[in-house]
Amino acid sequence: MDIAVEGGAIAAIAPRVPAEAPVELEAEGRLVSPAFVDPHIHLDKVEVFPLLPPNRTGTLSEAIELLHRTKRAASVEEIAARAGAVIRRAVAAGTTFIRTHVDVDTVGGLRPLEGVARARAEHADLCEIQIVAFPQEGIERDPGTEDLMREAMERGADVVGGMPHWERTPDASQRHVDVCLDLAVRHDADVDMHIDETDDPRSRTLEVLIDATESYGWGGRVAAGHVCAMAGWDDGYAADMVARAASAGVALITNPCTNLLLQGRMDNEPRRRGLLRVKEALAAGVVVGCGQDCVNDAFYPFGAADQLQVALVLAHAAQLSTPSEIAAALRMVRHDAARILRLERYGVAEGSQADLVVLDAEDLHEALRYQVPRRWVIRRGRVAAETVTGRRLHREPMADAAADA
């Protein structure tokens, strides 16, 4: 098929579109997909090494200690530079839509927000970025953060974040959620919280968030990220929460790379995976997204800001292996992630925004399996990135003769 683009949108899709255009790309039968969407990443924390020593124990406690050192020392310029490097890498890998959580607390103040906002402005031609004001240190646990959250929303944050399970008591967790929902209503903003990112099965703030979503009438505008404790919940309670999330319009975002590595470290075998119940959520009709989360920071020393790689990790971690399940994994970094970000005109159809990735594959299964190159990445009808690769096998002469025979 030919795809004609005009004014940043797809104007026509047909076997042959006669047109004179300043740029014509010969895709040679390659697969064209809507560009990838990353619904959960921390651009203020990325690529902190070798600026800091590595997390030598691999534990959450040491990661938090290193995080505090980073936030105290990092300048706006340094944050913008690190974030920009990862944004460019993400775009080259086919992602042109990102939702990033940015720490707002009394440790780093609003410097992380300023740095990521600067990187967003510097890369507006390449990528659309939503900034989540994220109270990493808690709200009641970190006095002064509530005022900083209000200021962050006034200074360019798009989405209200939260982390209620980090508070010290259930009542404080409830107040944390209420503060965030009040702020979201005041700014007509979506909500995207870190929820129950712990191995402790007693952590149950997803229920608090669902209750608040229903109470505030904010269904369809709320997402719960991580929900690692769900791996330890009993089956009945987990099923109830999944069903209620579907009914209330609370999306779930899983971050398999970081949580597979970080969660369950204190477990004996069998070890918990630290993932929310992906198959059950899909079966219940919950909108599920999948994010990179961390890139080479104190929590996770890997990460390539590549959503095709993240989808492959998820397929293994959540045991998504049937054709419909593989398709679901790919929706979680494309169409379903786009629903969470409430992107308009997303897709490959006439009238859609022309954010596309041309994959060196004939179908999505092949693209996922081989992690194929992204030949071109198109942002609003303009080539934003291209990748040219080559591969050649050097055979011995006898091997060549045997192959010919």
Side-chain angles (χ1 to χ4, degrees), residues 66-379:
L66 290 169
L67 169 63
H68 287 178
R69 290 171 60 182
T70 303
K71 284 196 285 193
R72 291 189 185 100
S75 67
V76 170
E77 293 75 17
E78 182 218 309
I79 294 167
R82 288 190 284 105
V86 172
I87 291 168
R88 293 189 294 275
R89 188 177 305 131
V91 171
T95 296
T96 64
F97 303 98
I98 291 172
R99 176 179 283 184
T100 177
H101 294 253
V102 174
D103 285 13
V104 173
D105 51 52
T106 63
V107 180
L110 294 180
R111 288 195 310 278
L113 174 67
E114 293 175 27
V116 174
R118 181 179 297 185
R120 172 172 67 178
E122 291 171 349
H123 296 83
D125 61 322
L126 297 178
C127 190
E128 181 177 323
I129 298 175
Q130 296 178 3
I131 294 178
V132 183
F134 172 46
Q136 167 88 57
E137 309 298 329
I139 293 178
E140 292 202 3
R141 193 169 178 168
D142 185 28
T145 292
E146 185 174 346
D147 290 338
L148 286 170
M149 288 285 288
R150 293 193 185 99
E151 187 177 353
M153 294 304 296
E154 292 168 358
R155 291 178 58 177
D158 308 288
V159 180
V160 179
M163 193 171 176
H165 63 279
W166 194 242
E167 303 290 1
R168 290 188 171 91
T169 68
D171 287 344
S173 294
Q174 178 69 65
R175 290 190 294 270
H176 181 121
V177 171
D178 289 341
V179 165
C180 293
L181 266 294
D182 285 340
L183 189 58
V185 170
R186 187 176 303 121
H187 288 272
D188 191 24
D190 290 357
V191 173
D192 191 335
M193 294 194 186
H194 286 54
I195 293 292
D196 299 323
E197 190 185 1
T198 172
D199 290 326
D200 187 350
R202 297 169 298 178
S203 184
R204 298 188 170 188
T205 59
L206 177 60
E207 185 171 3
V208 178
L209 181 60
I210 292 171
D211 288 343
T213 300
E214 293 174 336
S215 175
Y216 282 80
W218 226 239
R221 303 189 65 176
V222 176
H226 293 287
V227 202
C228 305
M230 191 182 285
W233 292 347
D234 68 75
D235 291 344
Y237 181 75
D240 184 42
M241 288 302 102
V242 166
R244 287 200 59 203
S247 176
V250 174
L252 300 177
I253 300 174
T254 186
N255 302 297
C257 298
T258 300
N259 289 137
L260 280 173
L261 192 71
L262 199 59
Q263 306 306 132
R265 282 181 174 265
M266 301 298 107
D267 287 0
N268 295 318
E269 301 297 344
R271 193 179 301 271
R272 284 170 293 180
R273 292 168 171 239
L275 300 184
L276 62 88
R277 303 191 185 208
V278 174
K279 287 189 179 184
E280 291 89 335
L282 292 171
V286 178
V287 179
V288 182
C290 181
Q292 170 70 77
D293 193 25
C294 303
V295 177
N296 192 29
D297 65 10
F299 297 90
Y300 184 67
F302 307 111
D306 185 339
Q307 284 296 83
L308 195 61
Q309 181 187 89
V310 172
L312 184 63
V313 172
L314 174 68
H316 286 81
Q319 298 176 324
L320 304 177
S321 59
T322 69
S324 63
E325 290 169 347
I326 293 169
L330 288 157
R331 286 199 309 272
M332 289 182 222
V333 298
R334 301 187 307 146
H335 296 83
D336 288 347
R339 288 178 64 186
I340 293 171
L341 271 61
R342 299 204 298 139
L343 301 177
E344 297 180 354
R345 300 188 302 131
Y346 178 85
V348 181
E350 292 181 3
S352 296
Q353 182 171 304
D355 276 47
L356 308 168
V357 55
V358 182
L359 297 152
D360 199 4
E362 294 186 359
D363 58 56
L364 283 168
H365 185 196
E366 179 183 337
L368 184 66
R369 178 187 175 199
Y370 290 119
Q371 296 289 290
V372 298
R374 319 307 130 88
R375 181 63 184 89
W376 289 287
V377 182
I378 312 298
R379 167 67 174 158

Side-chain angles (χ1 to χ4, degrees), residues 31-55:
L31 176 68
V32 178
S33 165
F36 300 131
V37 180
D38 189 343
H40 189 119
I41 193 171
H42 293 264
L43 288 175
D44 58 324
K45 299 183 176 79
V46 295
E47 298 288 11
V48 298
F49 303 116
L51 301 173
L52 286 175
N55 185 337

